Structure formats: C-alpha cells, structure tokens
Amino acid sequence: MTPTVKYRPTQKFQLAASYQSVRHFDYDSQLIFSGNYDINPFDSVAGRIIQHGGDVNGYLAYRRTGNTGNEYYLILGDPNAQRFRPSIIAKAVFPMNLKF
C-alpha cells in the first residue's frame, strides 16, 4: 500500500508526502515528505525527510543542470543513510553515448 499526495502551491514549488506499508513475514512502514523549488530552468533546491520505523533521515540538495545533460549536485546530509548523518556530498553526472 502506497498512498501519495502531491501539492503545487505555485508553478515553481511542489510538495509531496507518501506512506508505504509492507507486510511480508514482518511489518515495515516508511513516511516521506519532500519538496522541490525550481529557481530557474537550470537550478533547483530539493529536500526530503524520511521516517523508517523509529529512524529519521533527511537531506537538502542543490541541483544545477545544463542543456547538454550534465548535472551537478551539492547535497547536505546523506540520502542513503538509515538515520540522519551530517555530511556534504558533491556529485556530478555526465551522460555518455556509446555506439557499437
């Protein structure tokens, strides 16, 4: 079961909330609140708070994109951690076109 609610108060700002519940040998649930703000066509700020069981994690990210497909991120917090862990992550994504 995964109900999701999304709300866009303005054209550049979106909020979302979702809840996931799984029963397979054990019961597990996850609650996610997220938001995204488009500063301009190339820059945006996003954040997410995740509650999984009794643990809470969250992060705040800045994303810069270009028209060639390159993306650059600066992330405060660790998106993959079980609990909140202070960190600063710089990430760059470059598309590749492989021809055989």
Side-chain angles (χ1 to χ4, degrees), residues 50-62:
I50 304 147
Q51 179 192 13
H52 185 127
D55 299 324
V56 176
N57 185 24
Y59 68 88
L60 186 63
Y62 168 77

Side-chain angles (χ1 to χ4, degrees), residues 64-83:
R64 171 83 174 163
T65 63
N67 58 3
T68 60
N70 300 340
E71 294 183 341
Y72 304 94
Y73 298 86
L74 182 62
I75 305 168
L76 305 174
D78 186 350
N80 297 316
Q82 185 73 22
R83 295 185 188 124

Side-chain angles (χ1 to χ4, degrees), residues 23-88:
R23 290 180 191 214
H24 183 70
F25 297 112
D26 200 5
Y27 175 77
D28 202 8
S29 66
Q30 179 172 288
L31 181 61
I32 302 171
F33 292 104
S34 60
N36 189 65
Y37 180 73
D38 296 327
I39 300 168
N40 58 47
F42 302 107
D43 301 301
S44 66
V45 176
R48 180 174 281 182
I49 297 174
I50 304 147
Q51 179 192 13
H52 185 127
D55 299 324
V56 176
N57 185 24
Y59 68 88
L60 186 63
Y62 168 77
R63 183 183 81 175
R64 171 83 174 163
T65 63
N67 58 3
T68 60
N70 300 340
E71 294 183 341
Y72 304 94
Y73 298 86
L74 182 62
I75 305 168
L76 305 174
D78 186 350
N80 297 316
Q82 185 73 22
R83 295 185 188 124
F84 180 75
R85 193 169 73 192
S87 67
I88 297 174

